[in-house]
Amino acid sequence: MFHIIEDEKAVLCAEQKTVGQRTTGGILDSYPEYQSTAVLDKLRETEYSYLDEQDHLYLDYTGAGLAAKAQYHEHEARLTSQLFSNPHSLNPTSEASTKLVERARMRVLEYFNASPEKYTVIFTQNATGAARLVGEAYPFRRNSKFVLTFDNHNSVNGIREFACRNHARTVYVPTQAPDLRVDPTALVSALAGRWPWKRGTAGHGRRKRGLFAYPAQSNFSGVRHPLEWVDLAQKCGYDVLLDAAAYLPTKKLQLSDGNPQPEFLMVSWYKLFGYPTGVGCLIARRDAIGRLSRPWFSGGTVQAVTVGIPWHTMAQDGSAFEDGTPNFLSIPDVHFGLDWLTRVDVAVIETRVRCLTGWFLDRLKCLRHASGAPIIEIYGPQDNRSRGSTVAFNFIDVTGKVVDERLVASESAAARISLRTGCFCNPGGGETAFGLDMQALRPVCRISKTISVDDYVRLVGLPSAGAIRVSFGLASTTADVDRFMHWAEYTYRDRETPRDGFPPRGHC
């Protein structure tokens, strides 16, 4: 059930290799600007040649970017030519680490065109770590609100627990099928209320109404939500947490005057350029940092502390948020990664993935069974308007049923295709896509929190535990789209797929 039989697999592999040798072909008829991105084909042949050498089709750039060989070479050269150690000291090896970490910090601000007087960079483990820093330290209180869109990563959804502990109200702004966008009227309504508030404590100026959080680009559907919402929320009295993890790999974000300037911006660097992993950051406005109060302290975050009496004083500015020893051997790779993206030119990457995504969507909609019934159901925008390169969909078998995502995961892996299956840590996107309203979800509140994912799927009546997600990036080509389309049609056209016999789902 999980594998293509050997003779069919041999035919498929041979045909896929032929597909991989095709030129840009028909994409230029609909997207002639694709020709201007030819420089990326050369990079695919050199810096990302391991893809073709390993006969691998990579379609999960929203999950993680791919690193150029030059990035690995630079890391090796740095570590084999110099000595580095814990930067929390004044010895020569520590000073060497501190110098490179601070250079990377300034390079981040430069990349975003952010003023060092207005913004600071706090290195974290990933974007999730950045969200936690804000959530645990934000001054939620009774009568304040945490407003966020249905379309959010769980790293942001989880902040509602901090809000709840401080008796703040959580308000979700729904998305609407089929495009999975937010109704602007609903957003304005959620942000509305009496204003101005009374002045807060000395030094904090006017009290904020609460925190508004949303993704610049959905990691589920690829929808790009308006950056103008930052100004809207701020005028309504909110601080803004902008999740830019899925947005930045193919689009630059400017934090200079005249552009939206959120109080908090979350970033995972491996999403942009593949390496290093384990390094993200929170880019925060200095005035907003002053409103946060951490619930604990650790090594590196305090100026002084005593144990004879319970007293401590926090470090100044962003240092109070970088717990323990920073990843000083990998943070300098962020500097090189940003230099690499700048040399390649993010505008060129954006043009390429926009063309590939549009062409991919056009071809998905043309996939049909012999009866004329569609093979694909797309969730989210079906064109290139205000969207990124992430496409969520499901295969529909010949009987009209959704193909179980576990089968797709296994069969795509057997064909050396890397894509994503499941809910992508974005339950709100899936709930809207599958039409799950509050009435459908209400039974979940009456059962144990230890319920299995499979029991949850059956309880709410889902046809599957999620969807299939394909996303494009810097090293993607037309041959990648050709190969996927051939595999999809060959594998699922006119096929009735099994309904059971799959291993249990460990998570969504």
Side-chain angles (χ1 to χ4, degrees):
M1 176 173 60
F2 288 100
H3 298 91
I4 303 170
I5 60 177
E6 288 305 313
D7 57 340
E8 290 178 337
K9 187 175 179 180
V11 171
L12 178 59
C13 290
E15 292 179 346
Q16 285 174 344
K17 289 180 179 179
T18 301
V19 166
Q21 296 169 359
R22 294 177 185 171
T23 62
T24 55
I27 192 173
L28 297 180
D29 294 335
S30 300
Y31 305 93
E33 64 271 32
Y34 182 84
Q35 188 67 48
S36 67
T37 69
V39 63
L40 299 182
D41 291 318
K42 185 63 177 178
L43 288 178
R44 169 69 177 258
E45 296 171 4
T46 53
E47 293 291 337
Y48 304 92
S49 61
Y50 50 77
L51 285 169
D52 297 317
E53 291 164 359
Q54 299 175 32
D55 190 32
H56 201 99
L57 175 54
Y58 189 77
L59 297 171
D60 191 25
Y61 288 88
T62 298
L66 294 179
K69 293 179 181 179
Q71 293 174 252
Y72 296 127
H73 295 159
E74 194 279 337
H75 178 83
E76 180 184 20
R78 187 178 71 253
L79 295 190
T80 55
S81 62
Q82 295 177 265
L83 294 177
F84 302 98
S85 68
N86 192 322
H88 292 160
S89 184
L90 296 177
N91 65 61
T93 52
S94 294
E95 287 288 326
S97 296
T98 298
K99 179 180 178 180
L100 291 185
V101 169
E102 293 308 310
R103 282 186 59 204
R105 206 184 304 275
M106 293 306 296
R107 182 67 179 94
V108 171
L109 292 175
E110 179 187 19
Y111 185 79
F112 288 93
N113 201 14
S115 167
E117 286 71 40
K118 182 173 288 188
Y119 279 95
T120 186
V121 172
I122 300 165
F123 284 113
T124 62
Q125 187 176 9
N126 42 40
T128 296
R132 179 184 58 80
L133 285 179
V134 175
E136 70 178 8
Y138 193 78
F140 291 116
R141 62 195 180 281
R142 198 178 301 275
N143 296 324
S144 68
K145 289 199 296 186
F146 175 42
V147 180
L148 68 166
T149 56
F150 264 50
D151 185 9
N152 259 304
H153 193 277
N154 276 338
S155 301
V156 174
N157 286 323
I159 295 176
R160 72 190 188 193
E161 301 302 306
F162 293 115
C164 179
R165 289 180 185 180
N166 288 280
H167 310 289
R169 180 186 174 202
T170 294
V171 178
Y172 273 101
V173 184
T175 49
Q176 298 179 317
D179 278 2
L180 305 186
R181 300 187 190 276
V182 172
D183 180 357
T185 304
L187 176 62
V188 171
S189 177
L191 294 172
R194 292 180 60 190
W195 184 253
W197 286 57
K198 295 180 180 179
R199 284 193 176 274
T201 57
H204 286 217
R206 191 185 298 278
R207 261 185 162 182
K208 293 292 183 177
R209 176 176 289 160
L211 182 67
F212 171 54
Y214 77 100
Q217 179 175 312
S218 172
N219 76 311
F220 184 96
S221 65
V223 165
R224 283 183 175 163
H225 299 294
L227 295 179
E228 291 77 14
W229 290 355
V230 173
D231 293 332
L232 171 65
Q234 289 169 338
K235 289 176 181 177
C236 289
Y238 290 83
D239 288 316
V240 177
L241 170 62
L242 184 65
D243 178 1
Y247 181 89
L248 292 172
T250 58
K251 185 78 172 177
K252 287 205 70 172
L253 188 65
Q254 298 293 317
L255 297 176
S256 55
D257 291 342
N259 293 293
Q261 296 184 331
E263 279 75 13
F264 309 104
L265 185 73
M266 357 176 341
V267 182
S268 266
W269 297 113
Y270 74 92
K271 302 277 190 181
L272 275 74
F273 34 74
Y275 184 83
T277 57
V279 180
C281 77
L282 174 67
I283 303 174
R285 279 176 42 172
R286 294 181 182 274
D287 59 343
I289 283 287
R291 291 193 290 276
L292 303 185
S293 178
R294 300 208 68 189
W296 80 310
F297 64 86
S298 63
T301 67
V302 290
Q303 285 185 319
V305 59
T306 64
V307 294
I309 59 172
W311 172 89
H312 71 278
T313 178
M314 299 297 290
Q316 298 300 305
D317 200 34
S319 300
F321 293 84
E322 288 187 348
D323 299 326
T325 303
N327 191 345
F328 60 89
L329 292 182
S330 293
I331 287 175
D333 294 311
V334 173
H335 191 301
F336 186 85
L338 290 173
D339 288 347
W340 176 257
L341 274 189
T342 300
R343 289 199 298 270
V344 173
D345 192 345
V346 177
V348 174
I349 300 172
E350 181 186 11
T351 298
R352 167 153 292 210
V353 299
R354 177 175 52 78
C355 294
L356 287 175
T357 303
W359 196 48
F360 181 73
L361 287 166
D362 294 342
R363 295 178 67 177
L364 278 184
K365 290 181 285 187
C366 290
L367 289 178
R368 301 278 169 173
H369 294 290
S371 65
I375 298 176
I376 298 292
E377 181 174 2
I378 299 170
Y379 307 115
Q382 300 195 23
D383 56 33
N384 263 348
R385 183 178 60 88
S386 300
R387 62 126 62 238
S389 68
T390 304
V391 181
F393 59 93
N394 266 321
F395 288 104
I396 308 299
D397 76 3
V398 72
T399 68
K401 298 295 181 64
V402 171
V403 178
D404 194 292
E405 84 283 352
R406 291 167 292 184
L407 180 63
V408 178
S410 178
E411 294 186 334
S412 60
R416 299 189 63 77
I417 300 173
S418 286
L419 44 73
R420 184 76 180 270
T421 61
C423 73
F424 325 134
C425 296
N426 188 329
E431 289 169 18
T432 305
F434 287 114
L436 294 181
D437 56 17
M438 289 183 64
Q439 183 174 354
L441 294 170
R442 189 168 288 117
V444 177
C445 299
R446 300 194 295 267
I447 59 176
S448 169
K449 288 188 177 182
T450 61
I451 184 175
S452 71
V453 176
D454 291 307
D455 286 340
Y456 164 79
V457 170
R458 285 190 290 269
L459 184 67
V460 301
L462 282 170
S464 184
I468 316 304
R469 188 182 74 187
V470 162
S471 50
F472 302 101
L474 189 159
S476 298
T477 66
T478 54
D480 293 340
V481 177
D482 283 335
R483 178 172 170 178
F484 176 84
M485 290 298 171
H486 178 82
W487 170 80
E489 185 169 21
Y490 187 93
T491 306
Y492 297 109
R493 187 172 189 265
D494 294 333
R495 177 183 174 188
E496 182 176 355
T497 54
R499 300 284 175 255
D500 50 30
F502 302 102
R505 297 179 175 93
H507 50 78
C508 75

